[in-house]
Amino acid sequence: MSRFNKIVVIGAGTMGSGIAAHLANSEREVVLLDLRGNDSPNQISEKAINLIKKSDPPLLVEKSRLSHIKPGNLSDDFNQIKDADWIIEAVVERIDIKHQLYSQIDKIRNPNSIVSSNTSTIPLSVLTEEMSDSMKSDFCITHFFNPVRFMRLLEIVETPQINVKKIIALRDFCQNELGKGIVNCNDTPGFIGNRIGVYAMQVAMYEALERGLPVEIADALFGRPLGIPKTGVFGLYDLIGIDLMKDVLASFKKELQEDDPFMEVVKPHPIVEKLLEKGYTGNKGPGGFYENKVVDGDEITKALNTSDMSYYDFDKVDLPIARRVEKEGIKALLNNDSEYGKYVFAVISKIINYSAFCIPEVSSKVTDIDDALRMGFNWHEGPFELLNEYGLENYIHRLQDEGSDVPELLATMTRLKQEPYDSTSSRSYNHESGMKFINRGDGIRRLGDHKKYANHVARNYASTIWQFTDDIRKQRLLVCEFHTKANALNGDAMKILEEALDRVESDDYQGLVVYNEAMNFSAGADLNTMIDLADKSDWNGIDRYLSHFQQVCKKMKYASKPTISAVAGLAIGGGFEVACQTSRMVAHMNSTLGLVETGVGLVPGGGGCKELLWRWVQDPEYIKDHDEAALRVFDIIGYGLMAHSPLQAKKHKFFLNNDVIVLNRDNLLVEAFKQVDELKNGYKNPLKPQFCLSGPEVKEKMHQHLLDLEKKNIIFGYDVEIGLHLATVLSGGDTDKSKTLTEQDLYNLERQSLINLIQSQKTRDRIHAMLLNGRRLKN
């Protein structure tokens, strides 16, 4: 069974519909079944498909994939199972209902099929206790995480009788065509991701509330400084749903042994109970730990005062200790003697200790626990990776100094003189066999693994250069990694990128890859850098920053050796400007691309206007009319359009036909190396752009378009002025069609227009609003 051509998903709730949508992304035939509706037979599944269509962020990589999902109901369409290659059960978590369903499936399914459950709470042994032997050999748990398209983790739990060929085929399909990171789990409560992840949430919440830390402070600490999403713990509680979290905890309480450390925090905290008594269930209700209200068109967020259950206004949290972590690493926070440092160490130490306690029960590999937290909860590093960064010996000494018990697993590692990860080679600890080489599988190579034992070539706090040897293709390459907050590109990040380019030119490296494994490739140029200079009226400083940014991108574009951008997550604004000026882009299917600067009162200033215009003027439809191309680009940049997949991005020419789409994020680096190899022999620089624009003539067309949009209330006030500055760039400024503009001419227009805009208080107000609360100011 090498292919899964037809897949039936039973259960059209949030998870079932999300699974169906992502299966449709692979262009397989998907049948979505649920109970028969009252108003129409397929009412429930049709409603789910309609919600998929409207989902934001979109569950589909492009809208046309929706046609692969067919609605049905269990009464009239159950026979669809007969020729299905894979049947996925995602119904309510009631074992009696599941057992009855499995019995019905077993009677009519294709003997070559495989059946799986998406359960997150019921053990495999319980699911299979009434199954036939043939069904047991074709059954497993496939635990997807929500939202299915964007969450990488897929936990698989296999029966002892599993058909080996079928489970290998299923893993290959899920990894290579659904882009999932697979972790094999033992049959234990919550498997790995939820077992450790929910425990981590409970510990972070309990410690914060018992120490009297304000919720927004706790989230600022147990968040980005540790490489954890900015929601922290309280924001995540609200996002998941406080009522749902109570149900999850009840399940753990039922399944876990009494001596499990999780039992110490498995009970909902009294504050949680008070919120639920008031009907506060989080984001889906009137509020939770945070309360969101719309006042005069603006969304206002308030935080919960846990002492009297009222809500209060708060400013965006900016802790100096958190900024130190960006430059000095997590030790700066974990070793800090303030109440903040003590809180974080208390939380992290309990998570590390519990992770150690769970080995070998949930898995024998430390990599499985780290992978589950990174891919299932979007942690940048898992518990054992955090321990490795802190240092096992330092950690144990600190536990002993504080009078805490040392987990048996860590004591064993110390006795054997082993660490979670080897500092000299790509090996990790396995409880069954000691240190073992990490085998991620064909086509997978992670920078995170490489960094644990390799020395950097050069670095500053914003970026690092790594050397790689591609043994398959016998080539040496450099990888430039950004690692600022949201990978915002400041002057220091661009300095390291420039150094990487210089090293590639002067040595026998075959090429350069710009890549990182954070959530986002880059959310753009560093607004903090620009607003700090603007608030000092240092316009020359902004000009120097932009000029350097442009020249580094230009150097990258015309390097004598291939440069590849390997993109995942956000590559917007300045991040896209870097990515689009490499020789080729390799992008994960879930990448978001676009030029969004107008939203903060700016225009692209690092070559984005120039590059996108050049792409459009080369289109056969516009090659003889650069003004028409400029009008198309004016709309794309003016609206700040973003594409939520490379397939969507092709429409706007954010992504070109020669660029490469990767389905599994773990394949990005190897694919980038492959592209260097394909380009390096006889590599030629791209053509240098030339533009023939009419200047004031096409600018007036753009101006009239802005006025029409203003009359229709599509844009407001200051948007028109921003649009006019964008029009100045894309019309070519003071030119006419008798003149030819160079690439540098467009670079200069971009830079000058951005500087003119940032001198306006209205632009600075927009930037401050974005930095303060992450929202666009309409002024």
Side-chain angles (χ1 to χ4, degrees):
M1 189 171 64
S2 59
R3 291 177 60 85
F4 294 85
N5 295 311
K6 180 179 179 180
I7 304 167
V8 173
V9 179
I10 304 175
T14 300
M15 287 307 303
S17 59
I19 292 168
H22 196 50
L23 291 167
N25 285 332
S26 70
E27 298 185 278
R28 294 307 196 276
E29 179 186 352
V30 183
V31 180
L32 181 60
L33 302 179
D34 209 298
L35 297 174
R36 202 174 197 275
N38 293 325
D39 297 331
S40 63
N42 299 334
Q43 178 184 355
I44 297 174
S45 55
E46 286 173 349
K47 180 181 178 182
I49 292 171
N50 192 44
L51 289 174
I52 291 170
K53 184 178 180 180
K54 297 177 180 178
S55 58
D56 183 24
L59 297 177
L60 299 171
V61 295
E62 61 176 357
K63 290 181 179 180
S64 66
R65 301 289 165 100
L66 192 68
S67 64
H68 292 280
I69 308 175
K70 307 300 180 187
N73 68 83
L74 291 167
S75 299
D76 303 325
D77 304 299
F78 198 73
N79 61 356
Q80 291 283 350
I81 288 169
K82 285 184 177 180
D83 59 348
D85 301 309
W86 181 12
I87 303 107
I88 304 172
E89 171 268 304
V91 302
V92 63
E93 295 284 69
R94 276 182 51 184
I95 191 59
D96 57 331
I97 293 176
K98 291 180 187 288
H99 279 169
Q100 183 180 10
L101 181 60
Y102 298 153
S103 176
Q104 293 172 334
I105 291 171
D106 197 16
K107 290 175 184 177
I108 68 168
R109 72 182 181 95
N110 181 340
N112 293 322
S113 66
I114 193 165
V115 183
S116 71
S117 172
N118 185 62
T119 185
S120 60
T121 60
I122 302 176
L124 182 68
S125 58
V126 175
L127 292 176
T128 60
E129 59 189 5
E130 295 184 5
M131 280 185 187
S132 66
D133 289 341
S134 61
M135 181 81 157
K136 286 180 181 178
S137 67
D138 293 340
F139 187 84
C140 64
I141 290 173
T142 49
H143 179 217
F144 292 88
F145 279 63
N146 188 46
V148 179
R149 175 187 167 190
F150 297 99
M151 298 304 293
R152 296 171 61 200
L153 180 61
L154 172 61
E155 294 180 317
I156 294 183
V157 187
E158 305 167 8
T159 65
Q161 305 94 330
I162 194 71
N163 182 303
V164 175
K165 288 185 178 179
K166 288 185 180 181
I167 198 67
I168 289 174
L170 182 67
R171 282 200 214 104
D172 287 347
F173 173 73
C174 292
Q175 179 173 296
N176 298 326
E177 300 196 49
L178 299 184
K180 293 299 171 187
I182 296 172
V183 172
N184 288 314
C185 307
N186 295 335
D187 188 18
T188 58
F191 314 128
I192 299 177
N194 283 342
R195 177 82 170 270
I196 310 293
V198 174
Y199 174 82
M201 291 176 64
Q202 287 299 102
V203 166
M205 180 184 67
Y206 264 80
E207 287 287 341
L209 295 177
E210 291 175 8
R211 291 167 183 266
L213 279 180
V215 296
E216 75 276 13
I217 297 294
D219 282 349
L221 292 167
F222 189 73
R224 280 176 168 163
L226 295 171
I228 293 170
K230 65 179 181 179
T231 50
V233 58
F234 294 107
L236 183 56
Y237 236 89
D238 282 354
L239 181 64
I240 293 171
I242 298 172
D243 54 341
L244 178 58
M245 281 298 300
K246 184 177 181 178
D247 292 341
V248 170
L249 293 170
S251 175
F252 276 114
K253 186 176 181 180
K254 178 182 176 182
E255 298 291 339
L256 294 173
Q257 299 295 316
E258 283 297 324
D259 62 347
D260 193 301
F262 199 149
M263 297 298 282
E264 298 173 9
V265 292
V266 77
K267 183 180 178 181
H269 194 279
I271 298 295
V272 169
E273 298 284 21
K274 288 181 181 179
L275 284 169
L276 290 174
E277 287 172 10
K278 293 171 58 179
Y280 277 55
T281 56
N283 293 354
K284 64 184 177 182
F289 289 101
Y290 296 95
E291 182 184 63
N292 297 306
K293 289 188 175 180
V294 177
V295 179
D296 296 330
D298 293 325
E299 188 174 335
I300 306 298
T301 301
K302 296 187 176 186
L304 179 70
N305 184 334
T306 56
S307 62
D308 63 7
M309 303 302 288
S310 64
Y311 290 92
Y312 59 88
D313 295 318
F314 68 96
D315 293 327
K316 185 176 181 180
V317 179
D318 185 16
L319 301 175
I321 185 62
R323 293 199 300 273
R324 280 184 57 197
V325 173
E326 190 173 310
K327 296 187 178 183
E328 301 173 29
I330 62 165
K331 288 183 182 179
L333 181 54
L334 293 174
N335 288 336
N336 189 272
D337 199 38
S338 69
E339 61 173 331
Y340 298 157
K342 290 176 181 177
Y343 164 70
V344 172
F345 185 80
V347 173
I348 291 299
S349 61
K350 287 185 177 181
I351 296 170
I352 290 171
N353 291 352
Y354 188 62
S355 299
F357 171 84
C358 288
I359 288 180
E361 180 192 355
V362 299
S363 173
S364 63
K365 303 175 184 177
V366 301
T367 52
D368 282 345
I369 288 180
D370 287 340
D371 285 352
L373 269 295
R374 280 193 293 100
M375 295 188 292
F377 282 76
N378 282 329
W379 290 24
H380 187 58
E381 293 182 302
F384 289 106
E385 291 172 312
L386 288 168
L387 173 61
N388 209 64
E389 186 176 344
Y390 190 76
L392 177 60
E393 187 176 347
N394 292 336
Y395 181 73
I396 289 178
H397 284 325
R398 181 161 179 182
L399 290 182
Q400 291 170 336
D401 289 344
E402 295 181 357
S404 301
D405 293 334
V406 176
E408 182 180 340
L409 178 79
L410 304 187
T412 299
M413 285 184 186
T414 303
R415 187 177 68 254
L416 297 174
K417 297 183 179 180
Q418 295 176 341
E419 300 257 348
Y421 293 90
D422 196 342
S423 61
T424 61
S425 64
S426 183
R427 298 192 304 164
S428 64
Y429 186 79
N430 185 315
H431 186 71
E432 295 176 353
S433 56
M435 300 302 289
K436 192 172 183 179
F437 280 99
I438 301 171
N439 181 10
R440 301 288 186 187
D442 293 341
I444 295 177
R445 195 163 183 182
R446 289 186 184 169
L447 179 58
D449 292 338
H450 185 78
K451 288 161 63 175
K452 291 181 177 72
Y453 65 88
N455 293 321
H456 58 263
V457 175
R459 85 179 316 165
N460 59 29
Y461 77 93
S463 193
T464 300
I465 304 172
W466 303 94
Q467 178 180 298
F468 272 81
T469 300
D470 181 1
D471 294 327
I472 296 175
R473 299 171 186 86
K474 307 301 179 186
Q475 57 183 356
R476 293 171 68 239
L477 308 99
L478 291 182
V479 172
C480 183
E481 174 200 19
F482 303 133
H483 42 69
T484 57
K485 180 179 177 181
N487 286 330
L489 301 175
N490 57 24
D492 289 316
M494 299 306 287
K495 283 178 185 176
I496 290 293
L497 178 56
E498 183 175 32
E499 181 174 343
L501 290 163
D502 290 339
R503 287 177 180 271
V504 165
E505 293 285 4
S506 63
D507 208 332
D508 62 346
Y509 297 108
Q510 274 70 52
L512 171 68
V513 176
V514 186
Y515 170 76
N516 64 75
E517 288 172 348
M519 286 184 66
N520 299 312
F521 176 80
S522 171
D526 185 29
L527 290 176
N528 281 302
T529 293
M530 286 194 281
I531 200 64
D532 287 347
L533 293 169
D535 286 344
K536 299 172 187 173
S537 298
D538 187 358
W539 316 122
N540 288 331
I542 294 175
D543 189 53
R544 287 192 297 271
Y545 164 71
L546 291 173
S547 180
H548 181 245
F549 193 110
Q550 291 177 345
Q551 294 314 306
V552 172
C553 289
K554 192 172 182 180
K555 180 183 285 190
M556 183 167 58
K557 184 174 181 178
Y558 298 111
S560 63
K561 299 172 185 176
T563 59
I564 306 293
S565 51
V567 171
L570 293 177
I572 57 175
F576 176 74
E577 288 177 307
V578 167
C580 75
Q581 293 180 88
T582 55
S583 310
R584 186 165 291 173
M585 191 188 306
V586 176
H588 181 233
M589 182 64 89
N590 290 345
S591 302
T592 295
L593 309 174
L595 293 165
V596 297
E597 286 85 347
T598 56
V600 288
L602 298 172
V603 297
C609 297
K610 173 268 305 180
E611 191 63 28
L612 199 60
L613 181 58
W614 177 233
R615 292 177 177 205
W616 277 92
V617 300
Q618 293 177 91
D619 187 300
E621 186 177 346
Y622 300 102
I623 199 164
K624 294 182 179 179
D625 192 342
H626 290 194
D627 280 357
E628 282 301 312
L631 288 166
R632 289 296 304 269
V633 175
F634 181 70
D635 271 348
I636 293 169
I637 298 178
Y639 283 118
L641 297 181
M642 292 192 296
H644 293 285
S645 75
L647 292 173
Q648 291 180 353
K650 287 184 177 182
K651 175 183 176 182
H652 307 307
K653 301 192 188 299
F654 294 145
F655 198 77
L656 301 177
N657 290 333
N658 287 334
D659 293 333
V660 180
I661 298 174
V662 170
L663 299 178
N664 191 314
R665 186 167 178 162
D666 280 336
N667 297 139
L668 272 172
L669 198 54
V670 169
E671 184 60 41
F673 292 170
K674 178 182 175 183
Q675 294 304 313
V676 170
D677 186 58
E678 288 186 4
L679 291 172
K680 68 184 181 185
N681 293 327
Y683 179 69
K684 295 180 180 179
N685 289 144
L687 289 173
K688 292 190 175 182
Q690 292 185 325
F691 305 97
C692 184
L693 297 160
S694 65
E697 182 180 329
V698 70
K699 182 177 179 179
E700 181 55 30
K701 289 182 181 180
M702 295 173 181
H703 186 199
Q704 287 303 315
H705 183 51
L706 291 170
L707 295 177
D708 289 342
L709 292 174
E710 187 179 31
K711 286 179 183 177
K712 296 174 182 177
N713 292 323
I714 296 173
I715 63 174
F716 305 93
Y718 189 53
D719 293 333
V720 175
E721 189 171 338
I722 298 165
L724 284 173
H725 283 281
L726 177 62
T728 298
V729 178
L730 294 174
S731 66
D734 185 18
T735 189
D736 58 57
K737 289 202 171 183
S738 68
K739 301 174 184 175
T740 299
L741 298 177
T742 66
E743 184 172 33
Q744 191 59 49
D745 290 331
L746 268 291
Y747 271 134
N748 293 342
L749 285 168
E750 285 187 27
R751 198 168 68 251
Q752 188 57 57
S753 291
L754 189 150
I755 292 171
N756 289 342
L757 278 167
I758 206 168
Q759 290 182 33
S760 166
Q761 187 60 48
K762 289 185 176 180
T763 284
R764 298 203 294 278
D765 288 344
R766 285 195 178 194
I767 294 174
H768 280 298
M770 181 61 69
L771 292 173
L772 183 64
N773 55 38
R775 298 192 186 100
R776 176 177 173 174
L777 174 67
K778 296 178 181 179
N779 58 353

